[in-house]
Amino acid sequence: MRWNALSAWRSLRLKLRLSTKAASPSKARLPWLTRKPLKLGERGELAARRHLRRKGHRILHTNFRCMLGELDIVSERGGRIVFTEVKALIESAGHRPADNVHPRKVAKIQQLAQFYLRQNRLEGKPVQFDVVEVVFAGEGKARPRINHIERAF
């Protein structure tokens, strides 16, 4: 009797482990640990975070989501809160990634920034809005070209 209950428990545990292994929440937060390739936007944000850290930014949040939308990167540098919009593209003639930041998008980012500052009790801090363009040469593993536009709007 006891052996059957123990073996049933083990088989149930094995089934649960196998069914949840692919969709593990810890691996969902760390996309570089999974076997699937990163999407273009994810690769761009990863390159932008690396670039901002090298420039002395302390990353506070990435992909901050609320009911209004999403902020790509929120960081702090020199006592200033920096909201960074990341635009990634595969290289094409005559088109820049920052061209996709239109006035409606700017208004949305500013609205999200106000919400973020209120929620985190940072209303008195100075604020800066940046755009980081990440241009990939192709689908290969070559390093992207990064253009950081400080105080973009």
Side-chain angles (χ1 to χ4, degrees), residues 32-92:
W32 53 86
L33 291 179
T34 62
R35 291 185 182 264
K36 67 179 182 178
L38 294 174
K39 294 177 185 173
L40 181 66
E42 292 170 339
R43 286 174 47 205
E45 286 184 14
L46 192 61
R49 282 195 304 256
R50 253 188 253 129
H51 172 76
L52 290 173
R53 280 192 194 107
R54 271 190 240 123
K55 290 190 84 173
H57 288 251
R58 185 172 64 95
I59 306 294
L60 301 176
H61 279 98
T62 58
N63 300 324
F64 173 78
R65 288 187 180 100
C66 68
M67 66 261 186
L68 301 172
E70 178 184 16
L71 291 168
D72 290 336
I73 300 173
V74 181
S75 62
E76 183 180 19
R77 181 179 182 207
R80 182 177 298 242
I81 304 297
V82 182
F83 297 95
T84 306
E85 178 68 15
V86 179
K87 291 296 180 183
L89 277 179
I90 294 177
E91 193 167 30
S92 64

Side-chain angles (χ1 to χ4, degrees), residues 3-143:
W3 175 255
N4 290 338
L6 184 61
S7 64
W9 170 250
R10 284 183 182 156
S11 67
L12 177 65
R13 199 174 74 192
L14 182 63
K15 286 178 188 174
L16 287 174
R17 189 177 328 148
L18 291 176
S19 66
T20 60
K21 195 169 194 174
S24 171
S26 63
K27 287 188 180 180
R29 281 179 264 156
L30 304 172
W32 53 86
L33 291 179
T34 62
R35 291 185 182 264
K36 67 179 182 178
L38 294 174
K39 294 177 185 173
L40 181 66
E42 292 170 339
R43 286 174 47 205
E45 286 184 14
L46 192 61
R49 282 195 304 256
R50 253 188 253 129
H51 172 76
L52 290 173
R53 280 192 194 107
R54 271 190 240 123
K55 290 190 84 173
H57 288 251
R58 185 172 64 95
I59 306 294
L60 301 176
H61 279 98
T62 58
N63 300 324
F64 173 78
R65 288 187 180 100
C66 68
M67 66 261 186
L68 301 172
E70 178 184 16
L71 291 168
D72 290 336
I73 300 173
V74 181
S75 62
E76 183 180 19
R77 181 179 182 207
R80 182 177 298 242
I81 304 297
V82 182
F83 297 95
T84 306
E85 178 68 15
V86 179
K87 291 296 180 183
L89 277 179
I90 294 177
E91 193 167 30
S92 64
H95 186 65
R96 292 185 54 205
D99 295 340
N100 293 332
V101 183
H102 43 79
R104 198 171 67 222
K105 181 74 171 173
V106 169
K108 178 64 85 174
I109 292 170
Q110 290 172 339
Q111 185 181 18
L112 283 162
Q114 287 176 351
F115 179 81
Y116 178 86
L117 292 170
R118 247 182 285 125
Q119 185 180 15
N120 293 293
R121 297 185 179 120
L122 298 169
E123 286 103 341
K125 291 238 182 188
V127 174
Q128 177 178 323
F129 296 95
D130 293 356
V131 174
V132 173
E133 297 178 320
V134 183
V135 181
F136 293 95
E139 290 296 325
K141 299 280 185 186
R143 283 203 160 160

